[in-house]
């Protein structure tokens, strides 16, 4: 039995028969190397463990977390959480605990990420910076390795581990900047030199921007933009809590999207990041959210599944009783179109490298407003002809992917850095028939 599993058992023993309880222990390392002006200026690392406890006393539910694993501290932590539950109102939607169940035998873990040295991260930073030594580079390289143990008072036990490596950086001229991003289960998944070269090209091409008129343009969106679109679809649409509350665009069984679009949540995929069970101990499964343009499923935890008269799809997260269950291992099916060929097919449009500061205006139609950043370019007669000043857009993400609106799907799928963080969405570039730009970055 691992140290994490021992701690989980210790917490359950402290709870005893006073409550229904589920315990999750996360333990591992996280390290970050930051750079600016093409020099490393910070290297930080953290190693530790977190205990999360959720329990129900006669249907009254409370939860808490602690990082203090001292025996006396755990005793106080459990006692405080039980006392907090006793003063709560009865939760009519408490779904109970997961019974002992089989968990898929898989892991997405690379020891090279968990044990990464500052020297290894520095080598990746150097490769990014050296891609264009005449520019000024900034960003970070992160490595993470985590072990997870779960146990509940219904007798369910499971454990897993995951890792990730993330590179996020920009290259800058005196008047412009370009970004690039890469992520994977370990450092070997990241080509820092290629990312640095892409960021440098965007920065150099972005010098001398000009303003363009607001309006509806055909667009080619890079994976970072598409990752944000996919993440917003997941968080605000395919979230069963949002759907049950009438706040989602989702109409299961309807062709709400272009027939070329297939979006799945799949921790089983060998490229995925994460573990095979959710925060309630439910095994995760491959879930088709969009199948050939048809809206197919919602992501459920045990709470929403009980309300909907169905079963959990394994998408509970800490806090999902408030925010709802979220699919966060997304894969948008790759196409066969090279990005250059998609651009070549555009008579007049805009290429966008990254979105920034996106906010939902209307969840029912998923109208989102946001800005472009670090690489926005005019396309004319199939060629990029110059850099455009950053633009504000106001656009329904559902409508943008609607029937007949997807004109090309790239062959360049990778993890994009969305507004909800890295590693959530593995997506290609997209060519879309219409995107509504409503002004400059100031309004």
């Amino acid at each position: 039995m691992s140290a994490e599993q021992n701690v989980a058992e210790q917490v359950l023993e402290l709870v005893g028969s006073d409550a229904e309880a589920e315990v999750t222990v996360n333990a591992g390392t996280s390290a970050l190397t930051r750079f600016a002006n093409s020099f490393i200026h910070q290297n930080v690392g953290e190693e530790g463990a977190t205990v999360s406890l959720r329990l129900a006393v006669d249907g009254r539910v409370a939860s808490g977390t602690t990082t203090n694993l001292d025996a006396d501290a755990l005793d106080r932590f459990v006692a405080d959480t039980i006392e907090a539950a006793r003063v709560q109102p009865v939760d009519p939607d408490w779904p109970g605990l997961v019974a002992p169940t089989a968990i898929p035998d898989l892991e997405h873990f690379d020891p090279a990420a968990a044990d990464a040295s500052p020297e290894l991260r520095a080598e990746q930073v150097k490769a990014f910076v050296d891609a264009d030594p005449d520019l000024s580079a900034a960003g970070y390289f992160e490595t993470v390795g985590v072990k997870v143990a779960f146990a509940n008072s219904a007798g369910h036990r499971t454990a897993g581990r995951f890792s990730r490596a993330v590179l996020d950086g920009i290259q800058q001229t005196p008047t412009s900047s370009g970004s690039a991003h890469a992520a994977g289960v370990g450092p070997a998944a990241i080509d820092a030199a290629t990312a640095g070269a892409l960021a440098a090209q965007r920065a150099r091409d972005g010098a001398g921007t000009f303003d363009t008129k607001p309006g509806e343009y055909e667009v080619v969106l890079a994976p970072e933009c598409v990752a944000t679109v996919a993440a917003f679809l997941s968080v605000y649409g395919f979230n069963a809590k949002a759907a049950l509350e009438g706040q989602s665009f989702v109409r299961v069984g309807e062709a709400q999207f272009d027939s070329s679009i297939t979006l799945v949540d799949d921790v089983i995929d060998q490229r995925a990041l994460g573990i095979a069970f959710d925060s309630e101990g439910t095994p995760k499964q491959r879930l088709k959210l969009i199948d050939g343009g048809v809206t197919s499923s919602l992501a459920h935890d045990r709470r929403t599944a009980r309300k909907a008269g169905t079963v959990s799809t394994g998408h509970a997260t800490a806090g999902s009783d408030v925010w709802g269950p979220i699919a966060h291992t997304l894969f948008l099916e790759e196409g066969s179109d090279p990005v250059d060929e998609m651009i070549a097919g555009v008579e007049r449009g805009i290429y966008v490298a990254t979105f920034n500061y996106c906010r939902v205006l209307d969840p029912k139609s998923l109208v989102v407003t946001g800005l472009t950043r670090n690489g926005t370019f005019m396309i004319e007669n199939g060629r990029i002809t110059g850099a455009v000043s950053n633009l504000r857009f106001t656009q329904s993400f559902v409508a943008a992917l609607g029937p007949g609106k997807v004109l090309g799907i790239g062959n360049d799928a990778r993890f994009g850095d969305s507004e909800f963080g890295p590693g959530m969405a593995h997506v290609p570039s997209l060519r879309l028939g219409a995107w509504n730009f409503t002004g400059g970055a100031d309004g």
Side-chain angles (χ1 to χ4, degrees), residues 23-55:
V23 184
T24 302
V25 180
N26 290 271
T29 61
S30 175
L32 191 72
T33 298
R34 296 184 184 275
F35 58 104
N37 299 317
S38 298
F39 288 94
I40 292 172
H41 65 91
Q42 184 183 49
N43 184 75
V44 294
E46 182 179 17
E47 182 174 2
T50 301
V51 178
S52 300
L53 171 65
R54 184 172 71 158
L55 49 78

Side-chain angles (χ1 to χ4, degrees), residues 2-11 14 23-28 47-53 64-78 147 149:
S2 70
E4 297 77 33
Q5 290 168 309
N6 279 328
V7 172
E9 295 295 339
Q10 181 182 352
V11 172
L14 291 170
V23 184
T24 302
V25 180
N26 290 271
E47 182 174 2
T50 301
V51 178
S52 300
L53 171 65
T65 62
T66 184
T67 57
N68 191 339
L69 274 57
D70 176 79
D72 290 339
L74 285 178
D75 192 24
R76 292 192 301 272
F77 167 65
V78 170
K147 296 178 181 179

Side-chain angles (χ1 to χ4, degrees), residues 276-428:
F277 55 92
D278 70 3
S279 66
E280 296 176 322
T282 303
K284 295 179 181 178
Q285 57 183 279
R286 177 180 169 86
L287 184 68
K288 276 197 174 182
L289 303 172
I290 306 171
D291 186 5
V294 177
T295 300
S296 302
S297 305
L298 290 166
H300 281 281
D301 57 13
R302 289 175 58 78
R303 183 177 293 266
T304 62
R306 182 186 181 193
K307 282 187 172 182
T310 185
V311 297
S312 172
T313 57
H315 289 95
T317 61
S320 62
D321 54 338
V322 176
W323 306 110
I326 296 170
H328 54 267
T329 315
L330 301 169
F331 290 87
L332 181 62
E333 192 169 284
E334 189 176 55
S336 58
D337 301 325
V339 175
D340 288 347
E341 291 186 11
M342 287 195 290
I343 292 172
V346 178
E347 183 175 345
R348 181 173 172 79
I350 294 175
Y351 176 92
V352 185
T354 309
F355 288 156
N356 183 48
Y357 205 71
C358 295
R359 297 295 181 265
V360 174
L361 299 180
D362 177 21
K364 285 286 288 183
S365 56
L366 202 59
V367 172
V368 177
T369 188
L371 302 169
T372 68
R373 187 183 187 191
N374 293 335
T376 309
F377 302 97
M378 180 61 68
I379 305 171
E380 296 175 295
N381 299 318
R383 296 175 54 250
I384 288 179
T385 55
V388 178
S389 303
N390 287 330
L391 294 165
R392 175 168 292 281
F393 64 84
T394 304
Q395 174 65 49
S396 164
F397 285 179
V398 178
L401 301 181
K405 297 297 181 63
V406 180
L407 306 182
I409 300 181
N411 61 0
D412 58 343
R414 58 176 173 79
F415 284 110
D417 186 19
S418 78
E419 289 264 336
F420 288 90
M424 181 175 179
H426 191 278
V427 296

